[in-house]
Each structure stands twice: as structure tokens, then as C-alpha cells.
């Protein structure tokens, strides 16, 4: 009899353990990750995601083991700009990266006049970016020093590159994607190179009633995406104030020069766009992250819950997993509804 109860106990224990593992595997979340937050970006290091988004008047950082738990993450304002400078207002699209042994936070800002938007960067030498001091390193600009927002930096074969959205001259009307080499994380080396400008119809929705100019063509929010030594740039097209805000893609010819525009091939159709049937509007301004175990690829983007909400505070960060096609290009699918439960990014065992 004792042996019988021992067998029952062991069986029950195995069942309980199995159930616990299944519960962990089936942990789910729903979008949005936060009630609001435009231009979401994250960087993973030493078991933590460091997340940020546009807050307009300061730079805020979140720290979490899993981005699906962002609502409960530690949060800290890491820097507030001094008053009455060329970078005191309209802080847009911050990005946090760990480059060459230090943390950097890139952001666009102006003095209250949009024509003066430029890219700037902070540096932190602490192991944890929630600690230590964030030091203002200054403006990051090519010699031409034109309007610039949405900078993204990455290192490829030992060389740093920055991509961003900018104006060709000093007047608004069209935003293009530019690239340049960097001699260090806060200095652009040489002149910028134009690699993309709005050309297809889906890139040219940008009517502004009662404004001057009354139409702006947009390529913005460029993000590097690399897999199997192939380089892509995913960017946002058309005005964020329209219902046609969407994502386009540039693909670099294999083993070619990043600074030659002819080597970048543009997809003729959007690669990710709004899904009104799922209650997702003006989906765009994305970034990417991998699951904690490094096996899954995820897209992080913002979208509105209703039509007609434009570029304001209704935009909220969302995340969903994406896959890859046989030809090596990403397949982002369609934006998923906020009512759908998603399995959290796969964890390290």
C-alpha cells in the first residue's frame, strides 16, 4: 500500500511540474504594450531590454526582462534638456544603443522651430544605463548640416554607419533617407549620401490642409535589419498624419558598398501597413528585437486605435513576431488586433 501511494505521489508531482512548464510556455500578452508611446525602440543586453519612445520634453528609459511586461517595467527619466538651447524642445524618436563599450542615446530635437531639427547624442559609461551619468556629446551632423530626424546607428565589418531622415535643402516639402560613415559614435565622417526618396504613390500621401507647404512627401524612421549577412533598411513612408502611414524596404545588393545609392533596391510595395479590419491604423515607425533566447525575430511599431488620430498621443507601441521567406527577405505579416492573445517572446532555458 505504501508503494502504491508513493507511485501516486510521484505521478501527481510529474503532472504538476508538466503543468507548470506548460503554463510558462503559454504565457501570453496583448497589444498595446503601453497605453501610449510613439517611435518605440529597444536594445537587449545582459538579460534586460532597455526601451524608450518619444516623450517630447525629456528622455525616458524603461528596463525589463521581457518587453511583453513593459507596463510593469522600471522607468526613469535619464535626461532633461536645458532651457533655451537649439535642442530644448520637440525631442523625437530616441534610440538607445551599446557601442564600443559605452551606452549612447540618439534623439532629434529643436528650439521650438521645426526647421531647426537636428540629431544629438548622449553618452553613458556605466554598465547599466539606468545608472551613471548621461553626458551630452553634442550634435551629430554631416558637413552640410541639414534638417535631420530619426537617426539609427549600427556597426558593420568594423565600420559605424548612421542612417536618418532629412531634407535635401532648407525648406520642408520632402523627407529622404540618407546614410553616412561615422568615425566614432558621435561624429559623422564625410558627406551624407542619399539612398531613398519618395517615388511610389504609397510613399506620397501627405496632404496638409491650410499649411505651407500643403503637401509633404515622406521617407522617415529608417531601421537597419541584418540576417545572414544580408542588410535591409525598413523605413516609414507617407505622412504620419495620414491613414496611409506604412513601412517600405530597401535591400542592399550582397557584399556591395553601403554608400552607393545604386546598390540599394527598393521594394515596389509596402512591407507592412495598417489593418483597419483589425482596428489598427497608421502603423509605422518600427524597430526590431530578438526574443531573450535569440531564436525569434520581433517587430516593434506604433499605431493608432482609431482612424483620424494622426501623429498625436493616441499612438501606442505594439509588438509581434515575424518570419523570413525562402528568398531571405522578412515577412512581417499584418498588424494583429489588440484583442488577440500573443505568446510572449521565447525565454532562455
Amino acid at each position: 500500500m505504501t508503494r502504491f501511494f508513493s507511485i501516486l505521489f510521484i505521478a501527481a508531482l510529474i503532472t504538476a511540474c508538466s503543468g507548470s512548464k506548460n503554463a510558462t510556455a503559454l504565457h501570453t500578452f496583448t497589444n498595446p504594450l503601453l497605453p501610449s508611446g510613439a517611435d518605440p525602440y529597444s536594445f537587449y543586453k545582459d538579460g534586460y531590454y532597455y526601451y524608450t519612445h518619444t516623450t517630447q520634453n525629456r528622455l525616458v528609459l524603461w528596463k525589463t526582462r521581457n518587453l511583453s511586461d513593459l507596463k510593469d517595467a522600471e522607468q526613469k527619466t535619464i535626461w532633461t534638456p536645458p532651457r533655451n538651447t537649439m535642442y530644448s524642445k520637440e525631442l523625437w524618436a530616441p534610440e538607445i544603443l551599446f557601442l564600443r563599450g559605452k551606452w549612447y542615446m540618439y534623439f532629434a530635437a529643436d528650439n521650438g522651430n521645426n526647421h531647426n531639427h537636428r540629431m544629438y547624442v548622449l553618452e553613458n559609461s556605466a554598465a547599466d544605463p539606468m545608472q551613471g551619468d548621461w553626458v551630452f556629446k553634442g550634435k551629430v551632423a554631416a558637413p552640410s548640416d541639414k534638417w535631420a530626424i530619426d537617426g539609427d546607428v549600427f556597426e558593420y565589418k568594423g565600420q559605424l554607419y548612421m542612417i536618418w531622415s532629412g531634407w535635401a535643402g532648407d525648406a520642408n516639402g520632402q523627407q529622404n533617407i540618407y546614410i553616412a560613415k561615422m568615425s566614432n559614435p558621435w561624429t559623422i565622417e564625410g558627406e551624407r549620401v542619399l539612398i531613398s526618396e519618395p517615388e511610389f504613390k504609397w510613399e506620397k500621401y501627405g496632404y496638409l490642409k491650410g499649411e505651407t507647404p500643403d503637401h509633404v512627401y515622406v521617407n522617415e524612421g529608417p531601421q537597419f535589419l541584418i540576417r545572414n549577412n544580408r542588410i535591409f533598411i525598413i523605413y516609414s513612408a507617407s505622412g504620419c498624419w495620414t491613414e496611409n502611414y506604412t513601412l517600405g524596404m530597401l535591400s542592399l545588393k550582397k557584399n556591395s558598398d553601403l554608400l552607393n545609392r545604386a546598390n540599394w533596391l527598393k521594394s515596389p510595395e509596402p512591407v507592412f501597413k495598417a489593418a483597419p479590419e483589425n482596428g489598427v491604423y497608421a502603423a509605422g515607425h518600427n524597430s526590431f528585437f530578438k526574443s531573450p533566447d535569440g531564436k525569434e525575430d520581433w517587430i516593434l511599431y506604433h499605431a493608432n486605435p482609431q482612424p483620424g488620430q494622426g501623429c498625436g498621443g493616441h499612438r501606442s507601441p505594439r509588438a509581434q513576431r515575424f518570419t523570413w521567406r525562402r528568398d531571405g527577405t522578412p515577412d512581417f505579416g499584418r498588424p494583429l488586433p489588440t484583442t488577440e492573445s500573443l505568446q510572449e517572446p521565447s525565454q532562455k532555458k
Side-chain angles (χ1 to χ4, degrees):
M1 184 65 71
T2 301
R3 182 183 178 187
F4 173 76
F5 281 112
S6 295
I7 293 173
L8 285 179
F9 175 77
I10 292 172
L13 185 62
I14 292 173
T15 300
C17 290
S18 176
S20 176
K21 289 180 180 179
N22 287 336
T24 300
L26 296 176
H27 185 198
T28 60
F29 72 98
T30 57
N31 283 313
L33 302 177
L34 293 172
S36 66
D39 316 324
Y41 188 87
S42 69
F43 191 91
Y44 184 76
K45 188 177 186 299
D46 299 333
Y48 288 95
Y49 290 93
Y50 297 95
Y51 167 92
T52 187
H53 64 229
T54 294
T55 55
Q56 296 286 354
N57 61 354
R58 58 198 172 105
L59 298 176
V60 182
L61 198 57
W62 285 255
K63 179 181 180 180
T64 180
R65 290 279 187 184
N66 197 318
L67 279 177
S68 64
D69 297 325
L70 195 56
K71 292 177 182 177
D72 298 318
E74 178 186 357
Q75 178 184 339
K76 181 180 180 180
T77 296
I78 62 167
W79 190 75
T80 300
R83 298 177 62 185
N84 302 319
T85 72
M86 295 299 289
Y87 48 88
S88 294
K89 298 182 179 180
E90 300 297 329
L91 279 66
W92 293 352
E95 292 195 3
I96 182 169
L97 297 98
F98 188 78
L99 299 167
R100 299 184 175 180
K102 294 183 181 181
W103 291 98
Y104 294 91
M105 178 78 90
Y106 297 89
F107 63 98
D110 66 24
N111 62 342
N113 181 347
N114 178 49
H115 282 73
N116 293 324
H117 253 114
R118 298 295 188 274
M119 290 299 306
Y120 297 89
V121 65
L122 308 174
E123 180 186 79
N124 189 339
S125 59
D128 183 345
M130 303 292 276
Q131 308 298 322
D133 296 321
W134 282 94
V135 179
F136 181 71
K137 297 292 287 184
K139 180 165 62 175
V140 186
S144 56
D145 192 18
K146 301 299 183 182
W147 186 92
I149 65 169
D150 299 347
D152 185 39
V153 176
F154 92 125
E155 189 165 8
Y156 180 67
K157 294 184 177 179
Q159 175 64 56
L160 288 171
Y161 296 87
M162 174 179 266
I163 48 176
W164 69 94
S165 177
W167 296 349
D170 297 316
N172 196 2
Q174 180 168 299
Q175 294 175 219
N176 305 319
I177 304 297
Y178 295 92
I179 188 171
K181 284 184 177 181
M182 304 183 77
S183 56
N184 57 50
W186 60 91
T187 307
I188 286 179
E189 175 186 314
E191 196 44 87
R192 63 181 184 171
V193 175
L194 172 68
I195 57 172
S196 178
E197 57 188 318
E199 53 185 300
F200 295 114
K201 182 179 179 180
W202 52 270
E203 299 178 283
K204 292 185 173 182
Y205 291 97
Y207 176 63
L208 287 163
K209 184 178 180 181
E211 299 287 336
T212 303
D214 65 1
H215 203 111
V216 176
Y217 298 149
V218 176
N219 277 184
E220 66 180 15
Q223 289 288 307
F224 284 111
L225 178 62
I226 304 174
R227 183 174 185 262
N228 295 336
N229 211 36
R230 291 194 62 182
I231 300 177
F232 305 94
I233 292 176
I234 310 302
Y235 64 95
S236 301
S238 287
C240 63
W241 56 92
T242 74
E243 299 305 321
N244 302 96
Y245 200 51
T246 189
L247 296 183
M249 183 172 75
L250 303 174
S251 303
L252 183 70
K253 294 179 181 178
K254 193 172 182 180
N255 298 319
S256 58
D257 182 7
L258 281 71
L259 299 181
N260 185 341
R261 182 181 182 180
N263 293 333
W264 291 99
L265 305 178
K266 179 180 289 192
S267 296
E269 298 293 337
V271 292
F272 190 73
K273 58 184 179 180
E277 71 279 10
N278 291 336
V280 181
Y281 298 86
H285 203 113
N286 74 287
S287 57
F288 302 103
F289 69 94
K290 282 190 172 291
S291 56
D293 67 0
K295 296 179 179 180
E296 298 175 353
D297 289 295
W298 288 69
I299 183 172
L300 187 61
Y301 66 98
H302 74 224
N304 285 323
Q306 300 290 336
Q309 293 178 322
C311 307
H314 295 286
R315 294 174 296 177
S316 57
R318 296 116 188 277
Q320 62 187 65
R321 187 180 177 185
F322 70 92
T323 57
W324 297 85
R325 298 186 178 90
R326 289 185 177 182
D327 66 0
T329 60
D331 183 355
F332 300 118
R334 296 279 280 170
L336 300 174
T338 57
T339 55
E340 184 171 336
S341 293
L342 307 178
Q343 188 167 334
E344 71 173 8
S346 55
Q347 302 295 303
K348 291 182 179 179
K349 295 182 179 179

